[in-house]
């Protein structure tokens, strides 16, 4: 059968008169917009085709996804909705719960401790919202893939230009596996920034044998006008940046003064730039907030709400608000064209610009881009960026390949090559290049990371990487650190229980295998300001547990986080309510939040090496680090609803584990009822 890629292009004109809603969903409007109307009139939600929607931001791609989800559910099939970020997944699940109140919905953003429970939830869910990495990981696990993927009618990938970013290989690999597990599934990609739609459409058609319809248009319900602000040129980018901030502040102040009803969303590429911009605006008496990843989720949501309710006129943000969040403004500013020494990706620029103007919220959008390199500006605005696969990078390909090896048994080159040729990278490879790419990736797995044997079997490093979705370099670093601890620390079993430092060294050792982790001079100075913590970590350098400065820094920052949390948790309840909860250093924040997975991987590795007791302790330590709680609280933290503060209250009452907690509940100890609500007490009795 010859597969077709049908392209519906609107060329910037209004394609047809809006039609009234045919659906029973409460979408918040009575008529589809012109692009959505064309989608409905063409019956694309009903036709058994893949969809690639490349409409501009705010043109209504989300509604297309919701119509496709409704159609799948009405056919008795499941829906998978994949988002690039956990925050977007959480926002999407709230929206879908309103649209499908009678359906069973679940969100999956990563949980490596209770896999059986996750499989049960996936099996019962009719609509699952997942992060893209979770989707890829699920496609590699037989039980979870059957529960989540096998009976799905459609998989929707939001912000699909993520394929061209660092996290893109997960999407690419997942779509290949999903179409193998469930060839009947419809593949849907949504993005406002795709330049090579026909190439991507052909790839989707080849994956599952269905025709693909590409939806393209330059029509936008709210017009956007781009303006380039020129700061005086300067050889030094950093000197130019300071002048650019002054010029941006002046322009924002002019808008605030002359347009009392307009709001401003200002995007920066780094936290220091955002802080400088905020400081200069506040000097002029302009109320503003700075939305960035260093804030707690609660604070970020509070900032968004204040902006949306017009309590503040100006909101500054890093890229945290650019990807799919429904935050928009009459004016959008983009400060600069570099993130550190690197040029920023074109799709980030378009994502930011797309926040300007929004139907029903702003009649027009103006984007003000203060750029240093005008040739770069012209190249970005001249055309939509093409989405290219990063699986042509050998290291990324090696990570993806681990998932193609059987947990037990052997793989073979031809099977691996067949998988690769189904990826976007393989489909767009020049003749003869596939073998060279695969051979280099296999060399990395065999020689550099020791994840694969010469006869194409997984080693324990490879099995760890496959099971826990971990880069083989990082798995190797953890294994090496466990070996060092066992060989170089006398009486390890007792030493590690006395001091969490050894566990911190092992669990943060994945830093050694990470590709782009570095410590700046200012961060070194910050570390030097904590001599007590340095003295605690130095002995681990002497034993060989820590081999790189980046690892040393990660251990220091982890210790600092735990120390700050210890102080916070030791406060009484009233003092805690008045005090902001500490947050991990931004460089290790994702690693702290990821401790469930890393702890489970370290436990698995240690057990495979014959050190099961050490593995159990590492699992406990990872839970303590993830929670910011003392080690002795670990068993209590395993009860749903008990966090670090409640665990500390129980510890102060002399209750150290679940058995003692059950005994105290049975004895109707008033301290338990003071520390825990009734639903958590009931959960404790069940656990």
């Amino acid at each position: 059968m010859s597969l077709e890629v049908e392209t519906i292009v609107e060329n910037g004109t209004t394609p047809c008169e809006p039609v009234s809603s045919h659906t029973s969903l409460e979408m918040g409007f009575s008529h589809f917009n012109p692009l959505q109307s064309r989608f409905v009139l063409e019956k694309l939600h009903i036709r058994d085709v893949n969809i690639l929607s490349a409409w501009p931001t705010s043109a209504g791609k989300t509604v297309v996804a919701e119509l496709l989800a409704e159609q799948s559910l009405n056919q008795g099939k499941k829906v998978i909705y994949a988002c690039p970020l956990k925050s977007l997944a959480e926002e999407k699940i709230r929206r879908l719960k309103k649209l499908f109140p009678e359906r069973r919905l679940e969100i999956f953003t990563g949980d490596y401790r209770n896999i059986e429970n996750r499989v049960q939830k996936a099996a019962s869910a009719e609509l699952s919202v997942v992060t893209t990495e979770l989707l890829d990981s699920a496609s590699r696990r037989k039980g979870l893939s059957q529960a989540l993927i096998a009976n799905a009618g459609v998989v929707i990938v939001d912000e699909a230009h993520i394929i061209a970013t660092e996290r893109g290989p997960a999407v690419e690999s997942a779509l290949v596996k999903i179409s193998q597990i469930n060839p009947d599934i419809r593949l849907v990609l949504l993005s406002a920034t795709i330049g090579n739609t026909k190439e991507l459409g052909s790839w989707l058609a080849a994956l599952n044998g269905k025709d693909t319809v590409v939806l393209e248009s330059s029509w936008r319900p709210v017009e956007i006008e781009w303006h380039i602000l020129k700061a005086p040129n300067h050889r030094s980018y950093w000197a130019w940046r300071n002048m650019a901030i002054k010029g941006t502040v002046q322009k924002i102040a002019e808008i605030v003064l002359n347009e009392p009803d307009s709001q401003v969303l200002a995007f920066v590429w780094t936290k220091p730039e955002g802080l400088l911009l905020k400081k200069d605006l506040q000097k002029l008496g302009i109320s503003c907030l700075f939305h960035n990843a260093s804030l707690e989720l609660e604070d970020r949501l509070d900032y968004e709400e204040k902006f949306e309710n017009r309590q503040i006129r100006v909101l500054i943000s890093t890229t945290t608000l650019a990807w799919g969040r429904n935050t928009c403004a009459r004016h959008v500013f983009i400060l600069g064209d570099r993130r550190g020494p690197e040029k920023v990706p074109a799709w980030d620029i378009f994502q930011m610009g797309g926040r300007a103007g929004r139907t029903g919220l702003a009649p027009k959008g103006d984007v003000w881009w203060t750029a240093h390199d005008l040739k770069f500006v012209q190249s970005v605005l001249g055309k939509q960026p093409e989405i290219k696969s990063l699986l042509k990078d050998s290291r990324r390909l090696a990570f993806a390949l681990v998932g193609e090896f059987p947990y037990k048994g052997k793989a073979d080159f031809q099977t691996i090559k067949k998988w690769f040729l189904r990826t976007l990278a393989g489909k767009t490879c020049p003749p003869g290049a596939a073998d060279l790419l695969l051979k280099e990736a296999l060399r990395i797995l065999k020689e550099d990371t020791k994840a694969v044997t010469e006869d194409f079997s997984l080693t324990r490093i490879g099995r760890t990487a496959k099971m826990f979705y971990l880069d083989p370099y990082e798995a190797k670093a953890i294994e090496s650190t466990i070996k060092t601890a066992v060989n170089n620390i006398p009486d390890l079993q007792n030493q590690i229980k006395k001091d969490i430092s050894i566990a911190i060294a092992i669990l943060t050792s994945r830093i050694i295998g990470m590709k782009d982790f570095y410590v700046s001079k200012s961060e070194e100075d910050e570390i030097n300001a904590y001599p007590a913590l340095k003295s605690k970590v130095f002995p681990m350098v002497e034993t060989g547990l820590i081999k790189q400065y980046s690892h040393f820094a990660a251990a220091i920052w982890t210790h600092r986080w735990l120390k700050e949390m210890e102080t916070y948790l030791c406060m009484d309840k009233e003092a805690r309510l008045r005090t902001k909860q500490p947050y991990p250093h931004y460089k290790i924040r994702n690693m702290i939040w990821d401790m469930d997975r890393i702890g489970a991987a370290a436990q698995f590795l240690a057990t495979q090496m014959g050190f099961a007791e050490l593995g159990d302790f590492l699992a406990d330590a990872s839970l303590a680090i993830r929670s910011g709680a003392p080690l002795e609280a670990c068993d209590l933290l395993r009860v749903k609803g008990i966090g670090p503060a409640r665990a500390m209250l129980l510890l102060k009452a002399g209750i150290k584990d679940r058995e003692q907690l059950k005994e105290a509940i049975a004895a109707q100890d008033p301290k338990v009822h003071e520390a825990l609500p009734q639903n958590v007490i009931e959960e404790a009795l069940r656990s």
Side-chain angles (χ1 to χ4, degrees), residues 65-66 69 73 78-100 103-111 118 121-122 124-136 138 144 148 152 154-158 325:
E66 290 162 356
L73 292 169
K78 297 186 175 193
V79 175
I80 304 170
Y81 202 115
C83 300
L85 303 172
K86 183 179 179 182
S87 61
L88 293 185
E90 290 166 342
E91 184 181 82
K92 184 57 61 180
I93 198 75
R94 289 194 292 270
R95 162 78 175 172
L96 293 173
K97 281 179 178 178
K98 291 180 181 178
L99 289 178
F100 303 100
R103 301 289 187 169
R104 294 189 301 277
L105 282 78
E106 291 288 351
I107 183 170
F108 300 95
T109 59
D111 176 4
R118 190 169 55 177
K121 285 185 176 181
S124 65
E126 295 173 278
L127 201 158
S128 298
V129 178
V130 302
T131 53
T132 45
E133 282 84 1
L134 191 283
L135 184 62
D136 188 24
L144 191 52
L148 184 69
V154 62
V155 56
I156 300 161
V157 179
D158 207 352
R325 303 291 286 183

Side-chain angles (χ1 to χ4, degrees), residues 213-252:
V213 176
V214 175
L215 304 174
E216 287 189 89
S217 176
S218 58
W219 179 84
R220 217 175 176 276
V222 175
E223 180 188 351
I224 285 182
E225 187 174 350
W226 286 76
H227 313 271
I228 307 306
L229 297 175
K230 299 178 183 178
N233 207 351
H234 200 285
R235 287 186 179 181
S236 164
Y237 180 81
W238 309 113
W240 173 89
R241 183 194 70 172
N242 292 334
M243 292 185 287
I245 289 174
K246 301 296 182 187
T248 300
V249 167
Q250 183 179 355
K251 186 64 183 177
I252 291 175

